[in-house]
PDB file of all heavy atoms in Angstrom:
ATOM      1  N   VAL A 253      82.881 -41.687 -65.366  1.00  0.00           N
ATOM      2  CA  VAL A 253      82.634 -42.143 -63.996  1.00  0.00           C
ATOM      3  C   VAL A 253      83.187 -43.554 -63.807  1.00  0.00           C
ATOM      4  O   VAL A 253      83.818 -43.849 -62.786  1.00  0.00           O
ATOM      5  CB  VAL A 253      81.121 -42.075 -63.660  1.00  0.00           C
ATOM      6  CG1 VAL A 253      80.803 -42.805 -62.376  1.00  0.00           C
ATOM      7  CG2 VAL A 253      80.660 -40.630 -63.582  1.00  0.00           C
ATOM      8  N   SER A 254      82.974 -44.399 -64.783  1.00  0.00           N
ATOM      9  CA  SER A 254      83.480 -45.764 -64.704  1.00  0.00           C
ATOM     10  C   SER A 254      85.005 -45.776 -64.632  1.00  0.00           C
ATOM     11  O   SER A 254      85.601 -46.498 -63.824  1.00  0.00           O
ATOM     12  CB  SER A 254      83.001 -46.562 -65.911  1.00  0.00           C
ATOM     13  OG  SER A 254      83.514 -47.873 -65.876  1.00  0.00           O
ATOM     14  N   ARG A 255      85.642 -44.952 -65.446  1.00  0.00           N
ATOM     15  CA  ARG A 255      87.102 -44.873 -65.453  1.00  0.00           C
ATOM     16  C   ARG A 255      87.620 -44.341 -64.112  1.00  0.00           C
ATOM     17  O   ARG A 255      88.584 -44.864 -63.553  1.00  0.00           O
ATOM     18  CB  ARG A 255      87.583 -43.974 -66.593  1.00  0.00           C
ATOM     19  CG  ARG A 255      89.083 -44.041 -66.812  1.00  0.00           C
ATOM     20  CD  ARG A 255      89.557 -43.245 -68.029  1.00  0.00           C
ATOM     21  NE  ARG A 255      88.733 -43.466 -69.199  1.00  0.00           N
ATOM     22  CZ  ARG A 255      88.016 -42.509 -69.812  1.00  0.00           C
ATOM     23  NH1 ARG A 255      88.036 -41.273 -69.367  1.00  0.00           N
ATOM     24  NH2 ARG A 255      87.299 -42.789 -70.882  1.00  0.00           N
ATOM     25  N   ALA A 256      86.964 -43.318 -63.570  1.00  0.00           N
ATOM     26  CA  ALA A 256      87.377 -42.758 -62.277  1.00  0.00           C
ATOM     27  C   ALA A 256      87.222 -43.804 -61.174  1.00  0.00           C
ATOM     28  O   ALA A 256      88.080 -43.907 -60.280  1.00  0.00           O
ATOM     29  CB  ALA A 256      86.558 -41.514 -61.950  1.00  0.00           C
ATOM     30  N   ASN A 257      86.157 -44.578 -61.225  1.00  0.00           N
ATOM     31  CA  ASN A 257      85.946 -45.624 -60.227  1.00  0.00           C
ATOM     32  C   ASN A 257      87.056 -46.671 -60.309  1.00  0.00           C
ATOM     33  O   ASN A 257      87.598 -47.082 -59.276  1.00  0.00           O
ATOM     34  CB  ASN A 257      84.576 -46.274 -60.431  1.00  0.00           C
ATOM     35  CG  ASN A 257      84.310 -47.355 -59.423  1.00  0.00           C
ATOM     36  OD1 ASN A 257      84.420 -47.127 -58.225  1.00  0.00           O
ATOM     37  ND2 ASN A 257      83.980 -48.541 -59.898  1.00  0.00           N
ATOM     38  N   GLN A 258      87.389 -47.097 -61.507  1.00  0.00           N
ATOM     39  CA  GLN A 258      88.448 -48.090 -61.674  1.00  0.00           C
ATOM     40  C   GLN A 258      89.782 -47.573 -61.154  1.00  0.00           C
ATOM     41  O   GLN A 258      90.530 -48.297 -60.484  1.00  0.00           O
ATOM     42  CB  GLN A 258      88.568 -48.483 -63.146  1.00  0.00           C
ATOM     43  CG  GLN A 258      87.393 -49.275 -63.668  1.00  0.00           C
ATOM     44  CD  GLN A 258      87.431 -49.454 -65.184  1.00  0.00           C
ATOM     45  OE1 GLN A 258      88.285 -48.904 -65.866  1.00  0.00           O
ATOM     46  NE2 GLN A 258      86.485 -50.220 -65.706  1.00  0.00           N
ATOM     47  N   GLU A 259      90.089 -46.300 -61.424  1.00  0.00           N
ATOM     48  CA  GLU A 259      91.347 -45.720 -60.958  1.00  0.00           C
ATOM     49  C   GLU A 259      91.355 -45.594 -59.435  1.00  0.00           C
ATOM     50  O   GLU A 259      92.389 -45.807 -58.794  1.00  0.00           O
ATOM     51  CB  GLU A 259      91.571 -44.364 -61.618  1.00  0.00           C
ATOM     52  CG  GLU A 259      91.882 -44.469 -63.098  1.00  0.00           C
ATOM     53  CD  GLU A 259      92.016 -43.131 -63.783  1.00  0.00           C
ATOM     54  OE1 GLU A 259      92.070 -42.092 -63.090  1.00  0.00           O
ATOM     55  OE2 GLU A 259      92.060 -43.112 -65.030  1.00  0.00           O
ATOM     56  N   SER A 260      90.214 -45.265 -58.856  1.00  0.00           N
ATOM     57  CA  SER A 260      90.125 -45.155 -57.392  1.00  0.00           C
ATOM     58  C   SER A 260      90.343 -46.505 -56.736  1.00  0.00           C
ATOM     59  O   SER A 260      91.083 -46.615 -55.746  1.00  0.00           O
ATOM     60  CB  SER A 260      88.759 -44.599 -56.977  1.00  0.00           C
ATOM     61  OG  SER A 260      88.570 -43.313 -57.494  1.00  0.00           O
ATOM     62  N   VAL A 261      89.699 -47.530 -57.270  1.00  0.00           N
ATOM     63  CA  VAL A 261      89.868 -48.878 -56.722  1.00  0.00           C
ATOM     64  C   VAL A 261      91.326 -49.310 -56.841  1.00  0.00           C
ATOM     65  O   VAL A 261      91.905 -49.854 -55.892  1.00  0.00           O
ATOM     66  CB  VAL A 261      88.922 -49.876 -57.434  1.00  0.00           C
ATOM     67  CG1 VAL A 261      89.272 -51.316 -57.082  1.00  0.00           C
ATOM     68  CG2 VAL A 261      87.475 -49.572 -57.080  1.00  0.00           C
ATOM     69  N   ARG A 262      91.935 -49.050 -57.979  1.00  0.00           N
ATOM     70  CA  ARG A 262      93.346 -49.415 -58.174  1.00  0.00           C
ATOM     71  C   ARG A 262      94.233 -48.699 -57.169  1.00  0.00           C
ATOM     72  O   ARG A 262      95.117 -49.290 -56.545  1.00  0.00           O
ATOM     73  CB  ARG A 262      93.798 -49.089 -59.605  1.00  0.00           C
ATOM     74  CG  ARG A 262      95.245 -49.473 -59.901  1.00  0.00           C
ATOM     75  CD  ARG A 262      95.693 -49.001 -61.283  1.00  0.00           C
ATOM     76  NE  ARG A 262      95.462 -47.588 -61.517  1.00  0.00           N
ATOM     77  CZ  ARG A 262      96.232 -46.595 -61.067  1.00  0.00           C
ATOM     78  NH1 ARG A 262      97.274 -46.856 -60.302  1.00  0.00           N
ATOM     79  NH2 ARG A 262      95.957 -45.337 -61.349  1.00  0.00           N
ATOM     80  N   PHE A 263      93.999 -47.393 -56.955  1.00  0.00           N
ATOM     81  CA  PHE A 263      94.805 -46.611 -56.017  1.00  0.00           C
ATOM     82  C   PHE A 263      94.687 -47.178 -54.605  1.00  0.00           C
ATOM     83  O   PHE A 263      95.688 -47.335 -53.900  1.00  0.00           O
ATOM     84  CB  PHE A 263      94.373 -45.139 -56.028  1.00  0.00           C
ATOM     85  CG  PHE A 263      95.121 -44.300 -55.027  1.00  0.00           C
ATOM     86  CD1 PHE A 263      96.368 -43.801 -55.327  1.00  0.00           C
ATOM     87  CD2 PHE A 263      94.578 -44.036 -53.774  1.00  0.00           C
ATOM     88  CE1 PHE A 263      97.078 -43.045 -54.407  1.00  0.00           C
ATOM     89  CE2 PHE A 263      95.265 -43.287 -52.849  1.00  0.00           C
ATOM     90  CZ  PHE A 263      96.529 -42.788 -53.156  1.00  0.00           C
ATOM     91  N   VAL A 264      93.476 -47.489 -54.167  1.00  0.00           N
ATOM     92  CA  VAL A 264      93.268 -48.009 -52.812  1.00  0.00           C
ATOM     93  C   VAL A 264      93.949 -49.365 -52.653  1.00  0.00           C
ATOM     94  O   VAL A 264      94.552 -49.641 -51.605  1.00  0.00           O
ATOM     95  CB  VAL A 264      91.764 -48.097 -52.479  1.00  0.00           C
ATOM     96  CG1 VAL A 264      91.525 -48.852 -51.185  1.00  0.00           C
ATOM     97  CG2 VAL A 264      91.160 -46.700 -52.388  1.00  0.00           C
ATOM     98  N   LYS A 265      93.884 -50.213 -53.676  1.00  0.00           N
ATOM     99  CA  LYS A 265      94.553 -51.516 -53.601  1.00  0.00           C
ATOM    100  C   LYS A 265      96.068 -51.384 -53.545  1.00  0.00           C
ATOM    101  O   LYS A 265      96.734 -52.140 -52.842  1.00  0.00           O
ATOM    102  CB  LYS A 265      94.157 -52.387 -54.794  1.00  0.00           C
ATOM    103  CG  LYS A 265      92.749 -52.932 -54.688  1.00  0.00           C
ATOM    104  CD  LYS A 265      92.415 -53.805 -55.884  1.00  0.00           C
ATOM    105  CE  LYS A 265      91.006 -54.363 -55.754  1.00  0.00           C
ATOM    106  NZ  LYS A 265      90.651 -55.204 -56.918  1.00  0.00           N
ATOM    107  N   GLU A 266      96.606 -50.411 -54.271  1.00  0.00           N
ATOM    108  CA  GLU A 266      98.057 -50.215 -54.307  1.00  0.00           C
ATOM    109  C   GLU A 266      98.561 -49.441 -53.096  1.00  0.00           C
ATOM    110  O   GLU A 266      99.723 -49.568 -52.715  1.00  0.00           O
ATOM    111  CB  GLU A 266      98.461 -49.492 -55.589  1.00  0.00           C
ATOM    112  CG  GLU A 266      98.266 -50.335 -56.841  1.00  0.00           C
ATOM    113  CD  GLU A 266      98.556 -49.563 -58.112  1.00  0.00           C
ATOM    114  OE1 GLU A 266      98.901 -48.364 -58.045  1.00  0.00           O
ATOM    115  OE2 GLU A 266      98.426 -50.159 -59.201  1.00  0.00           O
ATOM    116  N   ASN A 267      97.715 -48.603 -52.487  1.00  0.00           N
ATOM    117  CA  ASN A 267      98.126 -47.743 -51.377  1.00  0.00           C
ATOM    118  C   ASN A 267      97.087 -47.775 -50.244  1.00  0.00           C
ATOM    119  O   ASN A 267      96.487 -46.749 -49.919  1.00  0.00           O
ATOM    120  CB  ASN A 267      98.283 -46.298 -51.865  1.00  0.00           C
ATOM    121  CG  ASN A 267      99.210 -46.180 -53.044  1.00  0.00           C
ATOM    122  OD1 ASN A 267     100.407 -46.354 -52.905  1.00  0.00           O
ATOM    123  ND2 ASN A 267      98.644 -45.916 -54.210  1.00  0.00           N
ATOM    124  N   PRO A 268      96.892 -48.913 -49.607  1.00  0.00           N
ATOM    125  CA  PRO A 268      95.831 -48.986 -48.606  1.00  0.00           C
ATOM    126  C   PRO A 268      96.071 -48.082 -47.393  1.00  0.00           C
ATOM    127  O   PRO A 268      95.130 -47.470 -46.874  1.00  0.00           O
ATOM    128  CB  PRO A 268      95.802 -50.460 -48.203  1.00  0.00           C
ATOM    129  CG  PRO A 268      97.114 -51.017 -48.617  1.00  0.00           C
ATOM    130  CD  PRO A 268      97.568 -50.195 -49.781  1.00  0.00           C
ATOM    131  N   ALA A 271      95.344 -44.479 -48.379  1.00  0.00           N
ATOM    132  CA  ALA A 271      93.904 -44.298 -48.551  1.00  0.00           C
ATOM    133  C   ALA A 271      93.208 -44.221 -47.196  1.00  0.00           C
ATOM    134  O   ALA A 271      92.322 -43.376 -46.983  1.00  0.00           O
ATOM    135  CB  ALA A 271      93.322 -45.445 -49.373  1.00  0.00           C
TER     136      ALA A 271
END
Side-chain angles (χ1 to χ4, degrees):
V253 168
S254 178
R255 190 175 315 117
N257 180 53
Q258 291 171 355
E259 290 176 11
S260 298
V261 169
R262 182 186 53 79
F263 177 82
V264 170
K265 286 181 179 179
E266 292 175 359
N267 306 289

